[in-house]
Amino acid sequence: MIEQPSIKQEEGTNNPVDAIHIKKETIERTERCIQCLVHACRCKDGDCRILSCAKMKKVVQHTRICKKKKNGGCLVCKQLIALCCYHSKRCCDEQCPVPFCHSIKQRLKALSRRENRARLQEIRQRNQTMIHESDSAPASQIPTQTLPQIQPPKLVPEQASHKITMHCDENL
């Protein structure tokens, strides 16, 4: 069974330093579990001497045959799938052996595309609203932006007519 990260605080302690330390430990524990998962999925040695490898192989095998996971009733499967999600967010391997990795990556990409489309639609609606409001507002109510005054370039007359050097003010 996968070691579930948990946050345990003593009652009455709201020390932010403790919370940061606990969060760091949780992240490190999760990273170790991900490394173990990747190793176990790639390991072909039936007698691998790494203890966590054998345990993780059993968890992966359990998840493949578990009947409860389909209706969300198996804690072991939930934990493994959550671990696979963490892994998939950073995985770049197209042939990754981690269970669910490829399908999770596809879902994350689809979700990202939907979110981007929704953001784009929101921006378009906001722009349309601004255009509509500016069309219906009297000219005196439309905010005007003042543009910086641009100085014309200064020509240096000493130079030949076919070579013109411009000096620009740095105060633009």
Side-chain angles (χ1 to χ4, degrees):
M1 189 164 162
I2 299 171
E3 183 180 322
Q4 175 150 351
S6 63
I7 297 177
K8 294 181 180 176
Q9 275 188 311
E10 293 180 28
E11 288 185 32
T13 1
N14 292 328
N15 187 345
V17 175
D18 289 344
I20 291 170
H21 181 69
I22 291 169
K23 185 172 184 174
K24 183 179 175 186
E25 285 178 353
T26 303
I27 291 169
E28 289 171 356
R29 194 175 312 123
T30 303
E31 289 298 321
R32 284 192 304 272
C33 286
I34 290 171
Q35 289 172 355
C36 176
L37 173 66
V38 172
H39 169 83
C41 292
R42 289 192 173 134
C43 181
K44 303 297 181 205
D45 184 0
D47 296 324
C48 184
R49 297 192 185 276
I50 300 172
L51 181 62
S52 60
C53 177
K55 285 182 179 180
M56 190 61 76
K57 284 180 181 177
K58 286 180 183 178
V59 170
V60 170
Q61 183 60 31
H62 163 84
T63 304
R64 287 189 178 128
I65 61 173
C66 181
K67 306 279 189 250
K68 290 184 192 177
K69 79 175 173 208
K70 293 192 185 210
N71 45 354
C74 180
L75 183 61
V76 173
C77 292
K78 281 182 183 179
Q79 288 178 335
L80 180 70
I81 292 169
L83 197 60
C84 292
C85 285
Y86 287 124
H87 160 78
S88 298
K89 288 179 183 177
R90 291 184 284 154
C91 178
C92 299
D93 185 358
E94 292 297 322
Q95 302 299 319
C96 183
V98 172
F100 314 111
C101 181
H102 183 69
S103 60
I104 292 169
K105 282 192 272 192
Q106 287 179 329
R107 287 182 183 181
L108 289 172
K109 285 178 186 176
L111 178 63
S112 177
R113 284 192 300 266
R114 280 195 303 269
E115 288 173 348
N116 287 340
R117 280 194 301 265
R119 259 189 244 117
L120 184 59
Q121 182 64 28
E122 183 181 314
I123 290 169
R124 285 180 182 148
Q125 288 174 347
R126 197 176 313 136
N127 287 343
Q128 287 296 332
T129 303
M130 290 171 57
I131 289 169
H132 177 70
E133 288 174 356
S134 68
D135 287 346
S136 63
S140 62
Q141 291 182 352
I142 298 175
T144 57
Q145 287 185 332
T146 56
L147 297 175
Q149 295 296 322
I150 299 174
Q151 300 290 328
K154 296 176 185 173
L155 300 178
V156 179
E158 299 91 33
Q159 297 194 353
S161 62
H162 66 280
K163 288 185 180 179
I164 298 176
T165 305
M166 294 192 302
H167 299 278
C168 298
D169 290 337
E170 292 178 350
N171 301 3
L172 296 179

